[in-house]
Amino acid sequence: MRPLLALAGIAGLLQAQEPITVTSFDMFNATGQYYRAYVATNVDNVSTLLGQSGGPRAWNFSQSPTNYTARFDYVAPSESGLDALFPEATLAERKTVEETGKTSWLFLKQEPGTGRINYGFHDPDFSPDMPTSVFDPPIVDFPENITYGSSWSVSTEFLTSIGAPDIGFDIGLGGTALNALPAPQDDFGIPAKIIYSADSKADAYGYVTLPKLGFMECLRINELATYEIQIDFDFTGNYQTVGVYFVRSLYWLAKDRGIVAQVVSQQSGTPPSDAFSTAAVIMRQFENNHPEGSRDPLPVADLQITPGQDQVMLHWTPPLNAASFRVESTESLGDPSSWTPVTTTTNNFLIVPTEGPWRFFRIVSLP
């Protein structure tokens, strides 16, 4: 077998093309960052606002009813006083209703290479008796690289408490705002377990127009969440399923701004359609302090070569902003003009036969 040599990658000098790719750097991932949003509840006739899948599309969120203004601050988990319950979280999202001062929390870790890890939440409106719920296991609600056609699934469960007459309570929001809708409660709470799962897909792309921020490129994420409600009626740890509810959430993601809009269906006993008519919540971002990041794909930093029988495998970790990769080879490192393309792939590996002369390889990251 003739040896082949692998080199570190370089970033391609190509202009970004639609659709965009949203990464960890585009989400709110550092203490001191914030955004503000207008929030409306129980809005009818929203199906035309939602649009269709595919692209490019255009969505206009510049005008909509507003019930309150929410501010989302990203702070150290210790500011919540609940960090001991979420030891792996490195960031907390504090949602404040500006008109009332009411707060709720998400506990997060934005991890490059993985995405946004969600460990759970604290929300007295969701359950006054047990406002803090820890996800078991944590979920990656937004993966590291999201582009048109990306899809992912999550599942977890968490304990809570439900008021005795309110078994069919409002579930609320998944993803960034599981804490948005109130759950009617009384003073007598019954132990409950919620088994949560969600299937998400970036099913559309184009441009979204926001109040005060103008228009920008975006991806639309279509998420269908399932909530199985189990109740411990006899307080023995024996949970029994009493209902299954579905909520569809549509998110619009943009570069350097994270979630810029969200429309959430009302809960239903059957999966709401993609073009549901009544929204439980509409959120529209209008202000933020997120720094601008680079749109260029980062180079591959860990290209590896593994020998096999009459072939080798090139393998690398996809870096930020890279949607595809051009594999190039040369027989002479001293001649920069001698690099020739082998193939272009969206995979993070390539199997190459070992026949022929010695060769060096490099990977060019493409947007």
Side-chain angles (χ1 to χ4, degrees), residues 1-5 305 310-312 352-359:
M1 180 183 77
R2 293 182 181 273
L4 296 94
L5 302 178
I305 187 168
D310 299 325
Q311 57 188 0
V312 295
V352 181
T354 55
E355 59 188 19
W358 286 55
R359 284 179 289 168

Side-chain angles (χ1 to χ4, degrees), residues 76-279:
S78 58
E79 290 198 24
S80 70
L82 300 168
D83 48 308
L85 296 175
F86 304 93
E88 296 182 56
T90 59
L91 194 67
E93 177 192 273
R94 181 181 64 215
K95 174 191 172 186
T96 304
V97 177
E98 295 188 355
E99 289 80 358
T100 65
K102 184 180 295 185
T103 60
S104 55
W105 298 79
L106 286 179
F107 297 89
L108 309 167
K109 182 180 181 180
Q110 192 73 46
E111 185 170 290
T114 299
R116 194 177 84 163
I117 304 174
N118 190 332
Y119 294 96
F121 66 94
H122 173 88
D123 185 2
D125 276 351
F126 190 86
S127 174
D129 293 332
M130 191 175 178
T132 305
S133 291
V134 179
F135 292 163
D136 183 19
I139 61 173
V140 178
D141 52 7
F142 294 99
E144 164 64 3
N145 287 291
I146 306 175
T147 190
Y148 177 57
S150 297
S151 62
W152 63 96
S153 298
V154 301
S155 60
T156 190
E157 60 183 51
F158 57 92
L159 300 178
T160 187
S161 177
I162 296 177
D166 299 315
I167 299 302
F169 67 92
D170 286 334
I171 294 299
L173 291 181
T176 187
L178 186 69
N179 47 18
L181 296 183
Q185 305 286 333
D186 68 2
D187 293 333
F188 178 60
I190 298 178
K193 178 189 295 184
I194 297 182
I195 299 176
Y196 169 83
S197 62
D199 297 311
S200 300
K201 183 175 182 178
D203 70 341
Y205 69 97
Y207 296 88
V208 59
T209 301
L210 301 170
K212 302 183 181 181
L213 296 176
F215 74 91
M216 62 202 68
E217 291 182 273
C218 69
L219 297 173
R220 187 182 79 170
I221 311 303
N222 189 333
E223 176 196 87
L224 179 63
T226 303
Y227 299 82
E228 179 182 339
I229 314 302
Q230 297 185 346
I231 302 298
D232 180 11
F233 288 104
D234 51 9
F235 296 84
T236 62
N238 181 26
Y239 291 91
Q240 303 177 45
T241 298
V242 297
V244 177
Y245 301 96
F246 300 89
V247 175
R248 188 174 298 278
S249 298
L250 299 179
Y251 301 91
W252 283 260
L253 308 182
K255 302 293 291 183
D256 300 325
R257 293 178 174 90
I259 301 168
V260 295
Q262 183 182 12
V263 182
V264 183
S265 76
Q266 294 181 321
Q267 71 175 41
S268 173
T270 58
S273 72
D274 290 350
F276 53 87
S277 60
T278 302

Side-chain angles (χ1 to χ4, degrees), residues 264-298:
V264 183
S265 76
Q266 294 181 321
Q267 71 175 41
S268 173
T270 58
S273 72
D274 290 350
F276 53 87
S277 60
T278 302
V281 172
I282 297 178
M283 184 275 288
R284 304 174 296 139
Q285 187 184 132
F286 67 88
E287 178 183 309
N288 70 80
N289 71 341
H290 195 291
E292 289 193 11
S294 172
R295 305 294 195 272
D296 297 329
L298 296 184

